[in-house]
Amino acid sequence: MTTHSDVNAVNGTSITPGQPAHHDKFPWKHIIGYVLSLILTFAALGLVLSSALPVTVDIVTIVVLAIMQLLVQLLMFMHVTENHGSRTHVMTLLFAFFVAITIVAGSAWIMTFRSSVA
Amino acid sequence: MLPHYFNHLFVSGIDIYIADVLIILASISIVGVLTYFKKWKWLWREWLTTVDHKKIGIMYILAAFAMFFRGGMDGLMMRTQLAVPNNHFLGAQHYDEVFTTHGTIMILFMAMPMLIGLINVAMPLQIGARDVAFPYLNAISLWTFFFGALLFNLSFVIGGSPDAGWTSYAPLAGPTFSPGPGENYYLFGLNLAGLGTLASGINFLVTIIKMRAPGMTLMRMPMFVWSTLITSILIIFAFPVLTVALSLLSFDRLFGSHIFSMTHGGMPMMWVNLFWIWGHPEVYIVILPAFGILSEVIGTFSGKKLFGYSAMVGSLIAIAFLSFLVWVHHFFTMGAGATVNSFFGVSTMLIAIPTGVKIFNWIFTMYKGKVRFNTAMLWSLAFIPTFVIGGMTGVMLAVAPADYQYHNSYFLIAHFHYMLVGGTVFGVFSGLYYWWPKMFGMKLNETLGKWHFWLFMISFNLTFLPMYLLGLMGMTRRMYTYPPGLGWSHLNMLETVGAFGQGFAMMFMMVNIIWSIKNGERDLTGDAWDGRALEWATTSPAPEYNFAHIPMIYGRDAFWDRKYGKDKAKYTLKAKPYTPIHMPNNSGRPFLMAVAFFISFFGFVFEWWLVAGLGLLAVFFFMFSRSFETNTDHYISVEEIEHTESGGGRS
């Protein structure tokens, strides 16, 4: 069976999602992505648990690690570089960035009230 | 080493004992009936293991009805408590538990699954697909929702219910102020159900993007499909925030972290912030599909195409954008300052514009149409004025300075009940009456349906209209009793009468369903209402594979065009031979995996780490075994298709 059998199974053969399924190759990309994700996650955790650096440095490092993690996810798992159906991809990505920026920046903005209260 | 929650296991109280007895009796009778009629195998083969989107939709709706009953009982208990001043029908603690479960259940375990059920039933049919994109994942969604709801409801009889409100604000919901397992039930029940919802969102999105019938461009999709698409996007972007927030609070409660505490650097406001970043899109998640239903129903029963289709699409997209920019209006009074409040006040008011566009489009759809006043149509018609009342009071609430007055008063409660009952629930009823023939092959009785409608509609207004007044008179939400002499008593009594009226009206629907199973008008054509979209192009109920031939689409309202359109000829199906149809296999694994999740999360609720760990291991085992499964699909043979098609009431 192909890796995309769920999508293909139902509407017959006419629909090819994303890309031709490369099912006989070993999924190196996924393994590397998985290992990289684990390393990046545990690096962030280790930083929180045992870092002697100033808090600001820690936070900046964690944000950098998070962005690297994001790139790993997009490139290794989500095939963002493969250009089938790119229009929907671009729109979805733009909306995702909009939501992410709104949530992060918005929360930071709202939480600044704390400095004025404290 | 007895886990320290063990002594919380059994809850006492007269209503709990009644519930215990009822649960035991109901369980015994279900087991008895299934055994007596030898239906166990049927239940497992046809329902519990199914990956058919129509059956999954029906099970969603069934479970949601059970939750509607539970949440409704909570509502009646609250209204009984508040009927007269100084009442002591419920204690303060008990009242807290009841309003918490009422809110949580009605939004997350009633409204959402009801809509997801209707989407499951109708959306794949409307786009001419044979199933959703990931049928197996669809079953996982259903069962994680189901067992999440079960876990949440278990709190009533084992361990005690959560009592910090459906918003579970920290630090009240933290370990210091809410000891005991109640809040854990909230966190883990919601997290489990949320998992299923997120998967549903992804599933519907991929289905709509990838599986539309040939010729169905995005701008030819029925409005219900559009609303599902936008809802799915909202789910995908909003639900991860809920998952994170619930998990962080779980860490606070189970492992002693201080993310939302008052001390050790915790920040309770961050919970409120995260909760509403999810919570505000969530209210659009439960209203947009109702907008979609309304558009279908009004179009069909007016015999006209939907007025202003592209404006409708535009307003849906605008609402999706804006819904992520308004969450702070839920905590205007929390001290975030004038700049923040102004921004979010204005963005909130902006939402009224696309919503208003929709209201006018529905009205203009009816204009000069031949309107048929069926029960489904009546619910949709009642939706419009109630939603306008709710919407306008919503704009009042969006004025930040005025919100300091309305905040947490009954005015707010009235507003969101007008949105959620007058909007979502009316929409759901409309959809149920509308798609009932498609689901079960028969119509619901119109007379009983109209009784249901009028009684419910009048009682609903009787319940919630006085709440606006009470709110302005100073009555706050979550108040469990009040002294006489405040001028509240008569209005409160009126509301209680209305609440019981709604309960009474629901009995008409139940009687209607039972009556119609035996005597309801059978729908042999597959096109019960002279419909416009593709779901009416197949038999009622639709066969496993939906369409023997995938339909070709040449315009909007594809089925209407095929029946009456000027290019009818293009739609005429040539007698093409059938070809075998590729379908996914049933699987018991989604059900079993959700059971494993349930066991694990039950362990987490009581901090029984062994149970929690073993349950999670079982979950991983089921994931692992799935990834090595090769036998995942089958072909339906031509003979079987011929047999089904000739027996399906179709020429």
Side-chain angles (χ1 to χ4, degrees):
Chain A
M1 275 300 109
T2 66
T3 28
H4 296 287
S5 65
D6 269 347
V7 179
N8 279 334
V10 188
N11 250 8
T13 50
S14 58
I15 289 147
T16 317
Q19 47 149 17
H22 38 222
H23 43 93
D24 26 18
K25 269 194 288 175
F26 191 74
W28 279 115
K29 225 177 168 180
H30 295 85
I31 303 275
I32 294 169
Y34 182 59
V35 173
L36 277 178
S37 302
L38 285 180
I39 292 172
L40 289 168
T41 306
F42 280 107
L45 182 68
L47 210 61
V48 172
L49 290 179
S50 60
S51 164
L53 296 167
V55 178
T56 328
V57 179
D58 276 355
I59 290 177
V60 170
T61 321
I62 289 174
V63 169
V64 171
L65 288 173
I67 292 170
M68 283 163 70
Q69 172 102 248
L70 174 82
L71 292 176
V72 168
Q73 301 276 331
L74 286 176
L75 294 173
M76 298 296 186
F77 302 126
M78 298 187 182
H79 308 283
V80 82
T81 47
E82 290 153 19
N83 48 9
H84 299 268
S86 58
R87 223 163 55 109
T88 36
H89 282 183
V90 170
M91 271 159 59
T92 321
L93 274 174
L94 282 178
F95 189 63
F97 283 126
F98 161 74
V99 172
I101 289 167
T102 308
I103 291 174
V104 175
S107 299
W109 182 33
I110 294 150
M111 293 303 138
T112 52
F113 95 100
R114 197 185 196 198
S115 50
S116 60
V117 171
Chain B
M1 195 184 89
L2 213 57
H4 79 270
Y5 273 156
F6 201 79
N7 44 2
H8 285 293
L9 202 53
F10 299 105
V11 191
S12 53
I14 187 71
D15 54 335
I16 314 276
Y17 295 140
I18 296 173
D20 284 334
V21 171
L22 285 177
I23 289 170
I24 292 167
L25 284 179
S27 311
I28 291 173
S29 51
I30 290 170
V31 171
V33 166
L34 285 172
T35 313
Y36 183 79
F37 291 105
K38 299 194 173 66
K39 288 290 190 192
W40 283 104
K41 230 179 200 162
W42 165 83
L43 185 70
W44 179 256
R45 279 219 188 122
E46 298 288 318
W47 293 95
L48 301 188
T49 62
T50 190
V51 291
D52 182 342
H53 69 93
K54 300 172 290 292
K55 285 182 175 172
I56 285 176
I58 287 168
M59 285 189 282
Y60 260 115
I61 292 167
L62 267 178
F65 258 114
M67 292 295 102
F68 201 9
F69 182 73
R70 159 80 210 264
M73 288 309 276
D74 285 342
L76 291 184
M77 279 159 82
M78 279 192 278
R79 282 319 318 170
T80 311
Q81 165 65 21
L82 293 173
V84 289
N86 279 336
N87 196 6
H88 290 281
F89 168 69
L90 300 174
Q93 167 66 24
H94 206 140
Y95 188 79
D96 290 354
E97 293 176 0
V98 168
F99 71 62
T100 301
T101 50
H102 172 75
T104 313
I105 285 176
M106 283 305 204
I107 292 196
L108 284 137
F109 299 129
M110 190 284 284
M112 279 196 76
M114 202 73 105
L115 291 166
I116 289 178
L118 287 171
I119 291 171
N120 256 314
V121 167
M123 183 273 285
L125 288 166
Q126 287 195 327
I127 60 170
R130 292 228 158 102
D131 206 331
V132 291
F134 309 111
Y136 179 86
L137 186 67
N138 204 14
I140 294 179
S141 295
L142 167 72
W143 294 115
T144 49
F145 144 69
F146 183 86
F147 282 100
L150 201 64
L151 186 66
F152 186 84
N153 276 277
L154 207 60
S155 66
F156 190 66
V157 288
I158 301 175
S161 297
D163 58 359
W166 87 276
T167 51
S168 272
Y169 277 4
L172 176 59
T176 323
F177 301 107
S178 292
E183 282 302 313
N184 295 352
Y185 270 117
Y186 173 93
L187 295 169
F188 285 96
L190 257 59
N191 231 344
L192 184 51
L195 210 69
T197 310
L198 182 57
S200 282
I202 295 168
N203 213 340
F204 294 148
L205 179 83
V206 179
T207 307
I208 296 171
I209 297 291
K210 291 280 183 194
M211 308 218 348
R212 277 166 289 136
M216 183 174 280
T217 57
L218 284 177
M219 291 308 272
R220 284 177 180 174
M221 298 194 306
M223 196 46 64
F224 183 63
V225 178
W226 258 111
S227 69
T228 306
L229 177 68
I230 301 295
T231 306
S232 308
I233 291 170
L234 293 186
I235 289 176
I236 292 168
F237 288 110
F239 265 77
V241 184
L242 177 70
T243 307
V244 168
L246 292 170
S247 308
L248 291 177
L249 190 54
S250 306
F251 271 79
D252 271 11
R253 291 186 58 84
L254 299 184
F255 307 118
S257 64
H258 286 279
I259 294 157
F260 302 123
S261 64
M262 295 291 271
T263 52
H264 299 91
M267 195 169 193
M269 192 172 168
M270 193 41 117
W271 166 267
V272 182
N273 187 53
L274 290 176
F275 185 87
W276 287 114
I277 285 174
W278 160 76
H280 204 83
E282 165 70 10
V283 306
Y284 293 101
I285 292 168
V286 294
I287 197 63
L288 293 187
F291 285 174
I293 294 169
L294 204 59
S295 307
E296 298 297 311
V297 170
I298 288 184
T300 300
F301 291 115
S302 305
K304 274 178 69 190
K305 70 174 198 294
L306 194 64
F307 180 88
Y309 179 93
S310 26
M312 286 289 237
V313 172
S315 60
L316 277 173
I317 294 170
I319 290 175
F321 252 101
L322 289 172
S323 71
F324 279 98
L325 291 172
V326 301
W327 77 95
V328 178
H329 69 221
H330 293 272
F331 43 102
F332 276 156
T333 61
M334 211 170 265
T339 327
V340 173
N341 282 1
S342 321
F343 175 86
F344 287 95
V346 171
S347 60
T348 303
M349 291 178 214
L350 277 179
I351 289 209
I353 297 171
T355 315
V357 168
K358 293 175 148 312
I359 302 275
F360 282 110
N361 282 344
W362 291 319
I363 293 172
F364 284 127
T365 305
M366 287 181 277
Y367 179 68
K368 285 192 174 173
K370 275 188 196 153
V371 180
R372 284 175 286 160
F373 292 97
N374 279 314
T375 312
M377 184 64 173
L378 287 178
W379 285 112
S380 285
L381 286 178
F383 182 112
I384 294 174
T386 43
F387 202 78
V388 168
I389 295 173
M392 290 197 303
T393 49
V395 176
M396 288 169 73
L397 282 156
V399 182
D403 186 63
Y404 276 80
Q405 178 63 35
Y406 307 135
H407 181 76
N408 271 356
S409 77
Y410 253 44
F411 188 86
L412 164 79
I413 311 302
H415 156 68
F416 73 66
H417 280 90
Y418 264 83
M419 304 313 259
L420 288 167
V421 183
T424 306
V425 174
F426 282 17
V428 159
F429 284 145
S430 186
L432 283 172
Y433 280 94
Y434 183 61
W435 281 311
W436 200 267
K438 192 43 70 185
M439 287 190 272
F440 300 105
M442 76 250 177
K443 288 184 180 177
L444 288 172
N445 181 282
E446 281 292 318
T447 316
L448 287 169
K450 280 173 183 162
W451 273 95
H452 172 214
F453 168 76
W454 284 110
L455 269 173
F456 195 94
M457 220 268 288
I458 292 167
S459 312
F460 158 77
N461 283 294
L462 209 57
T463 313
F464 296 107
L465 210 52
M467 277 193 188
Y468 284 119
L469 300 176
L470 276 172
L472 295 176
M473 288 159 83
M475 185 162 167
T476 60
R477 79 195 294 193
R478 295 171 182 170
M479 177 183 270
Y480 99 100
T481 192
Y482 54 92
L486 295 170
W488 299 353
S489 312
H490 298 305
L491 289 175
N492 266 306
M493 180 50 92
L494 206 63
E495 285 176 20
T496 305
V497 171
F500 278 91
Q502 289 179 69
F504 184 62
M506 285 312 292
M507 305 228 291
F508 278 89
M509 182 159 199
M510 293 303 136
V511 170
N512 197 348
I513 290 171
I514 295 165
W515 186 89
S516 301
I517 288 172
K518 267 209 161 338
N519 314 308
E521 183 194 333
R522 303 290 132 171
D523 171 30
L524 298 175
T525 57
D527 181 18
W529 312 112
D530 199 10
R532 311 181 68 84
L534 279 175
E535 77 265 36
W536 306 108
T538 182
T539 49
S540 294
E544 186 194 349
Y545 47 79
N546 291 356
F547 301 95
H549 295 293
I550 295 291
M552 288 292 292
I553 314 295
Y554 300 96
R556 262 172 226 162
D557 290 332
F559 185 51
W560 185 265
D561 285 353
R562 188 199 290 185
K563 287 187 292 188
Y564 310 111
K566 62 176 185 312
D567 39 23
K568 209 156 80 177
K570 276 198 264 181
Y571 286 97
T572 320
L573 288 174
K574 297 192 189 75
K576 274 189 294 187
Y578 295 125
T579 46
I581 294 172
H582 195 190
M583 294 299 284
N585 282 350
N586 282 1
S587 171
R589 208 182 284 107
F591 180 81
L592 296 173
M593 195 165 101
V595 172
F597 258 123
F598 175 81
I599 293 169
S600 167
F601 281 17
F602 185 75
F604 276 115
V605 166
F606 284 91
E607 300 182 22
W608 297 343
W609 307 120
L610 187 69
V611 179
L614 286 176
L616 272 191
L617 264 182
V619 171
F620 286 124
F621 166 77
F622 287 121
M623 287 183 190
F624 192 73
S625 65
R626 167 66 174 181
S627 61
F628 289 98
E629 190 175 45
T630 49
N631 185 22
T632 57
D633 38 46
H634 64 280
Y635 280 92
I636 298 177
S637 67
V638 174
E639 297 84 72
E640 206 184 324
I641 300 167
E642 274 166 354
H643 179 77
T644 315
E645 291 296 303
S646 61
R650 195 190 334 233
S651 54

